[in-house]
């Protein structure tokens, strides 16, 4: 099992001088242990997506180190990284008429030669991945005809078919109704794969994450367990909103109730 480490990361978004919604990353330090579910939280535009892009070898940092185990990601090939890191993004890919089954099968591509066809083992992995996200029976549906929530689950199934060592999720629950938000995050927890996820809903982050990192204006300003991180003072400082924090009556994790001004 593999550990992801980001050390002293710095990165400036393209067009930074004209962009008011994305902050430059500065001295970001973060790690995800094997089997650990780590959440990245912060206001819109605080740098969450930029940090994730550096973590999955999409945006090369100007300085610092991104490593998976002992390996510097930027000294490895894209194929090497794709064999070990699976990514689920907010936006959906253009499927060009592909069926659900064909989209999920794409998760096997990094593990195969250029002209290799699908093996029986590949088909079994794809089938199991679809069953894991509750979409058995959707194999022949056109991806383009699915709802946003169904598409999100297909993309997660594609990621599972990759058999990754690390899973990176960018706002994975955005398109899902409450039932599937819970089911998706419960599934991710059960996978026991190192996972780094940006999560908008702080109550979901508190319920499912082992640890949290808080990013604001491109800097990691706090890290720790949800109970250590989610304080009234931090929420006021970072999100500009007052909140009540108590224990969830059934599960005991921190529960946030936002205070609205009359």
């Amino acid at each position: 099992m593999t550990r992801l480490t980001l050390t002293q990361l710095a990165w400036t978004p393209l067009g930074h001088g004209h962009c008011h919604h994305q902050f430059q990353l500065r001295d970001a330090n973060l790690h995800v242990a094997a089997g650990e579910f780590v959440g990245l939280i912060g206001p819109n535009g605080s740098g969450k997506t930029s940090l994730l892009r550096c973590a999955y070898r999409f945006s090369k940092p100007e300085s610092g180190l991104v490593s998976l185990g002992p390996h510097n990601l930027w000294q490895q090939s894209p194929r090497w990284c794709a064999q070990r890191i699976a990514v689920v993004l907010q936006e959906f890919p253009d499927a060009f008429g592909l069926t659900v089954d064909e989209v999920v099968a794409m998760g096997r591509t990094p593990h195969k030669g250029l002209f290799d066809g699908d093996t029986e083992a590949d088909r079994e992995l794809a089938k199991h991945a679809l069953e894991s996200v509750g979409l058995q029976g959707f194999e022949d549906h056109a991806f383009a005809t699915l709802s946003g929530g169904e598409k999100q689950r297909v993309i997660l199934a594609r990621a599972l078919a990759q058999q990754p060592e690390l899973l990176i999720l960018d706002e994975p629950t955005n398109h899902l109704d409450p039932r599937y938000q819970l089911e998706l995050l419960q599934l991710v927890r059960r996978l026991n794969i190192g996972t780094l996820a940006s999560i908008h809903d702080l109550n979901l982050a508190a319920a499912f994450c082992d640890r949290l990192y808080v990013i604001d204006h491109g800097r990691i300003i706090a890290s720790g367990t949800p109970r250590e991180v989610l304080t009234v003072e931090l929420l006021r400082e970072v999100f500009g909103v007052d909140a009540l924090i108590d224990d969830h009556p059934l599960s005991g994790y921190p529960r946030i109730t936002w205070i609205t001004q009359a």
Side-chain angles (χ1 to χ4, degrees):
M1 301 295 282
T2 306
R3 172 188 175 103
L4 172 74
T5 308
L6 281 62
T7 308
Q8 294 292 302
L9 219 61
W11 182 75
T12 303
L14 293 175
H16 176 66
H18 307 286
C19 178
H20 303 289
H21 302 290
Q22 188 61 73
F23 287 99
Q24 180 179 2
L25 295 178
R26 293 171 290 172
D27 298 327
N29 293 286
L30 180 151
H31 73 272
V32 181
E36 187 179 32
F37 192 162
V38 173
L40 183 63
I41 63 173
N44 290 340
S46 58
K48 296 190 297 294
T49 295
S50 295
L51 189 61
L52 294 184
R53 285 175 173 170
C54 291
Y56 62 80
R57 203 186 177 280
F58 181 84
S59 300
K60 188 171 185 178
E62 294 161 10
S63 62
L65 177 67
V66 183
S67 57
L68 192 64
H71 304 285
N72 182 338
L73 283 192
W74 286 95
Q75 293 177 351
Q76 309 302 320
S77 69
R79 176 183 172 87
W80 186 96
C81 295
Q83 289 172 344
R84 293 160 177 83
I85 302 173
V87 183
V88 177
L89 302 178
Q90 293 185 50
E91 60 271 13
F92 300 122
D94 294 321
F96 300 112
L98 295 180
T99 64
V100 165
D101 210 22
E102 291 167 333
V103 171
V104 176
M106 291 168 64
R108 302 303 304 152
T109 302
H111 301 280
K112 295 156 62 172
L114 185 60
F115 300 108
D116 290 346
D118 289 340
T119 66
E120 185 60 33
D122 291 329
R123 287 187 285 272
E124 280 298 313
L125 283 168
K127 177 184 176 183
H128 181 67
L130 270 178
E131 290 173 351
S132 296
V133 300
L135 286 178
Q136 61 270 36
F138 279 69
E139 289 83 356
D140 296 327
H141 290 220
F143 180 80
T145 65
L146 302 181
S147 70
E150 289 166 343
K151 287 179 178 177
Q152 188 77 322
R153 288 187 282 150
V154 171
I155 299 306
L156 178 61
R158 183 183 68 179
L160 298 183
Q162 273 179 256
Q163 295 186 298
E165 299 173 17
L166 175 72
L167 188 60
I168 295 180
L169 310 172
D170 191 4
E171 302 285 3
T173 59
N174 261 10
H175 302 280
L176 304 180
D177 62 34
R179 172 188 169 186
Y180 287 116
Q181 288 181 3
L182 296 173
E183 287 190 359
L184 183 143
L185 293 176
Q186 287 166 348
L187 169 61
V188 171
R189 287 280 316 179
R190 290 196 302 270
L191 292 173
N192 198 33
I193 296 172
T195 300
L196 175 62
S198 65
I199 299 179
H200 182 73
D201 186 321
L202 300 189
N203 280 305
L204 288 177
F208 289 97
C209 293
D210 298 307
R211 289 188 303 111
L212 299 175
Y213 286 89
V214 184
I215 187 168
D216 191 26
H217 291 76
R219 287 186 180 276
I220 301 287
I221 64 165
S223 65
T225 65
R227 189 168 299 282
E228 292 168 339
V229 166
L230 298 174
T231 65
V232 170
E233 294 77 16
L234 182 135
L235 297 180
R236 183 185 299 123
E237 173 191 348
V238 173
F239 294 95
V241 183
D242 288 321
L244 297 172
I245 301 177
D246 61 3
D247 292 340
H248 189 282
L250 298 180
S251 303
Y253 52 76
R255 179 178 61 175
I256 298 164
T257 303
W258 299 109
I259 300 175
T260 57
Q261 302 299 322

